[in-house]
Amino acid sequence: MNPSIPRPYPPKPANAYLFATCLIDQFAPQAGLDTVSLLQREGISIHFPEAQTCCGQPAYTSGYPDEARIVARRQLDLFPQAWPVVVPSGSCAAMMRHHYPKLFANDPVLYAKANELAGRIFELTEFLIHVVGFKRVDVGGSCTVALHTSCHARREMGVHETSAALLAGLTQVKVVRQARAEECCGFGGTFAMRHPDISAAIVSDKVASLKESGAQRVVSADCGCLFNILGRAEKIDQSAAKGTPSLPGEHIASFLWRRTSGGEA
Amino acid sequence: MSQNQTVHFHPAEGFAERSRAAVNDAHLRRSFRGAMDFLQAKRLSQFPDADELSALRDLGKAIRLHALANLPDLLEQLEAKLQANGIQVHWAETPDQANAIVLDIAHRHDAKNMVKGKSMVSEEIGLNHAMEVAGIEALETDMGEYIVQLAGEAPSHIIMPAIHKTRQQIAELFAAKVPGVAYTDNVDELIRIGRDVLRKKFAAAEIGLSGVNFAVAETGTLYLVENEGNGRMCTSVPKVHIAVTGIEKVVAKLEHVALLNILLPRSATGQAVETYQNFISGPRKPDELDGPDEVHLILLDNGRTQAYADVQLRATLQCIRCGACMNHCPVYARIGGHAYGTTYPGPIGAIISPHLLGLEATYALATASSLCGACVEVCPVRIPITDILIRLRNEAQAASAGKLRGGGRARKPLQSSIWLVWSWIYGQPWLYRIVSWLMSRGRALAPSNQGAWTRSRTPLNPAPQRLRDLLRRPASG
């Protein structure tokens, strides 16, 4: 795994799978719908295997590899056609692309399967830039946003530049850079639960730097980070008895879709 | 003398309490944030070309892998070459053995005064305490180490031991602890005070003790870098020089040092080169004016062979102790080095400490990471730190003890049951469908108190309809 080495990208396909992630399925379905809208508009038929659940990362990073394998094993059979698998999360994409082969390293048959699947896992923004060649006109009004890139998107998938490139293509959107943009938001899955004080300290700093950036909203290609950042910002608003959110935010798929579909000014 | 009161590391068990205290210490947070920002920027300025840096890191990793792949042979070669150069070689399996060797040498010379260059291995073995018990004054001469020793503390960073202290705190410390010194927070003045004290000690000490950055097997050379000149004083003024180091610090060839030292100072302090580079190749020869009469090297195991024996964990020993991982760690930046409770803090501390102290006592450190990978990104020898952290989490919670000391001891029945149930739900699509449907339907019942999550955040509640429900509806545009 070395994100500095570019991977080969296929031509734009007629069909692709969506692995939506458990967080989007259960907690942020709009991001999933907007992902489908973005891709279908480009003439790609999107297939959502109903049997999908979770990539297995929560158990994998918490020290329960057997439990992670049970769940990951189920996802290996979901994508029988050789189509690309688009994942609207850098973190879950990294799990499937980089960690699945390690997880099944001791089983030659499953390892081969995991390796084959890993080769066609694409994080949404890299897919839009490198495979789709996304070029849509920004029809929204002017606004200022900050981009938060998840650590796994940045350091494991090496796709932080594709999120930035998508935003740069929106002519009415001004992207501001928050201080320490590369730093973790403090989520880290079960880390946020196991070390709540440290996690809270990190996310409080992240919220502060995003607010100081002057951005009207934050966008990210990872829902885990967004729940953490927005949940912290909301809590701060509540204790300050603020009605309107001081730091709204959304998944980059939703932002892109709204800006390029005329859904909202 | 009261200066010999350096605190031995505490057991790592109270990590949660110490880290909570640290994040609530506004002063500590400011100190570390400022220092980390400064060090990150300095490092980056030394590596303007990302491709070149990447190639250098490949080279650094290859050199360290080569050394570890040949470790037993290289250590034997090193011993033979050192002995041929007149350097006496000692092997220590435990901290106690290492201290006993130092004491034995000290007693043979009837030594009462030791000056020390900066050495994390000496911290690891609790050398200052062992000397104090034996009635020997072991004085730190690196300015940062001198400060933490005066304060009765342990280093909070492996390269910058007193990074947690402000100028004013140091000024107060000097005024209180150094005889005849009035309060001044002028940095130049503080350094002059320290230097005055230390100069006299260098002249009086019978023994100089130092660490080693790299030990070269091919030539029998001990390589030591530093910025203050105190390391050169410690290794050349006293009659006896004792170097202590871990067995992993050996490299095959002298030219490997030249390559690794492109990475070391740039990654550590953002310097292109250290002020002092010492190549120690033996005691004073008859025709030479300066140098010690005796040079000793103590090679310490202290659990390193446990890491060495495992094909994945062996990568831990690639470390060249630059500290870049802690300088870029979001957790270290928030809690500082003392909260870890171990000699080595930060990401490298989390992965090396289990071998030194056992996994049971140090497991909390392996969990204290969001696995963000900032450390992996900057490690000059490409240690896969996050993969190793995950492995340690696995070993600590495994159903059987495994090969690591203290393995399996962090397993808790309730927690493993939760993950088992989780794997049933997410491992059976039909069950997941039912459970997630119930969660969506019952979202009004979602608790507003979600434990640790809602202490700092608003509750995370399921959407009224899942994505799979929405996708099943006929497309409406």
Side-chain angles (χ1 to χ4, degrees), chain B residues 16-309:
Chain B
E17 291 72 32
R18 287 195 301 274
S19 59
R20 182 174 313 128
V23 297
N24 291 321
D25 182 340
H27 157 74
L28 178 143
R29 291 280 297 278
R30 259 197 315 276
S31 303
F32 275 94
R33 182 75 265 176
M36 298 302 106
D37 286 348
F38 176 72
L39 288 164
Q40 287 178 19
K42 275 194 81 180
R43 173 188 171 275
L44 200 59
S45 73
Q46 289 293 342
F47 293 119
D49 184 332
D51 291 339
E52 189 188 3
L53 172 58
S54 186
L56 277 171
R57 294 169 68 216
D58 287 340
L59 204 55
K61 175 186 171 186
I63 291 170
R64 293 300 296 138
L65 280 178
H66 174 264
L68 293 173
N70 299 285
L71 188 64
D73 291 345
L74 289 179
L75 284 170
E76 281 186 16
Q77 188 189 2
L78 175 70
E79 180 179 36
K81 286 287 176 185
L82 287 169
Q83 286 169 344
N85 291 346
I87 296 176
Q88 300 176 49
V89 181
H90 312 263
W91 301 86
E93 198 176 327
T94 64
D96 286 346
Q97 286 176 10
N99 287 325
I101 293 165
V102 176
L103 280 176
D104 183 54
I105 298 167
H107 289 149
R108 274 198 280 116
H109 292 272
D110 202 19
K112 290 285 168 226
N113 302 286
M114 174 188 289
V115 281
K116 287 182 67 194
K118 190 167 159 26
S119 155
M120 287 309 292
V121 169
S122 80
E123 300 282 347
E124 176 186 332
I125 63 178
L127 181 126
N128 290 7
H129 178 71
M131 295 305 114
E132 186 184 9
V133 169
I136 297 169
E137 183 198 67
L139 183 73
E140 299 289 352
T141 65
D142 172 272
M143 194 52 68
E145 289 278 353
Y146 176 69
I147 290 164
V148 293
Q149 188 178 39
L150 269 186
E153 294 175 359
S156 60
H157 189 286
I158 65 169
I159 303 294
M160 288 145 285
I163 201 162
H164 58 288
K165 290 216 174 298
T166 60
R167 185 160 44 106
Q168 289 73 23
Q169 286 176 322
I170 295 165
E172 285 163 19
L173 184 70
F174 274 38
K177 293 280 178 79
V178 183
V181 167
Y183 179 96
T184 170
D185 61 10
N186 178 305
V187 174
D188 290 338
E189 191 61 19
L190 287 168
I191 288 175
R192 192 197 55 75
I193 294 166
R195 188 171 288 169
D196 281 351
V197 174
L198 296 175
R199 282 281 153 176
K200 297 184 191 97
K201 298 289 185 179
F202 284 126
E206 301 95 343
I207 295 181
L209 188 129
S210 77
V212 174
N213 290 95
F214 303 111
V216 185
E218 170 192 56
T219 54
T221 307
L222 306 179
Y223 180 65
L224 179 67
V225 295
E226 35 126 4
N227 281 316
E228 299 173 12
N230 67 308
R232 183 157 299 174
M233 298 286 277
C234 288
T235 57
S236 61
V237 175
K239 291 289 176 207
V240 180
H241 168 211
I242 304 173
V244 290
T245 195
I247 51 172
E248 80 280 20
K249 287 290 186 71
V250 66
V251 293
K253 291 170 175 294
L254 196 58
E255 68 203 55
H256 293 172
V257 170
L259 291 165
L260 288 174
N261 205 52
I262 297 173
L263 288 161
L264 179 57
R266 288 177 170 86
S267 301
T269 51
Q271 291 171 279
V273 68
E274 305 88 348
T275 315
Y276 293 86
Q277 302 184 54
N278 305 286
F279 293 84
I280 297 159
S281 50
R284 182 174 63 83
K285 297 189 176 66
D287 58 340
E288 290 174 340
L289 292 175
D290 299 314
D293 294 334
E294 276 181 29
V295 180
H296 300 262
L297 175 68
I298 301 172
L299 286 156
L300 176 72
D301 175 6
N302 195 23
R304 287 164 174 78
T305 43
Q306 175 179 277
Y308 180 76

Side-chain angles (χ1 to χ4, degrees), chain A residues 79-158:
Chain A
F79 312 102
Q81 305 289 335
W83 304 331
V85 180
V86 180
V87 186
S89 156
S91 191
C92 310
M95 175 70 192
M96 299 173 88
R97 178 159 167 75
H98 296 298
H99 298 284
Y100 271 18
K102 290 185 237 172
L103 201 51
F104 295 104
N106 291 329
D107 183 320
V109 175
L110 293 179
Y111 174 75
K113 242 182 147 94
N115 228 7
E116 189 279 325
L117 177 61
R120 52 193 171 99
I121 295 284
F122 297 90
E123 187 267 342
L124 172 65
T125 67
E126 76 168 328
F127 191 79
L128 285 173
I129 289 287
H130 292 301
V131 180
V132 171
F134 187 86
K135 276 192 178 62
R136 293 283 163 176
V137 177
D138 183 7
V139 294
S142 64
C143 88
T144 306
V145 301
L147 171 69
H148 172 75
T149 308
S150 86
C151 298
H152 292 167
R154 177 185 299 278
R155 301 198 179 95
E156 294 201 297
M157 294 299 286

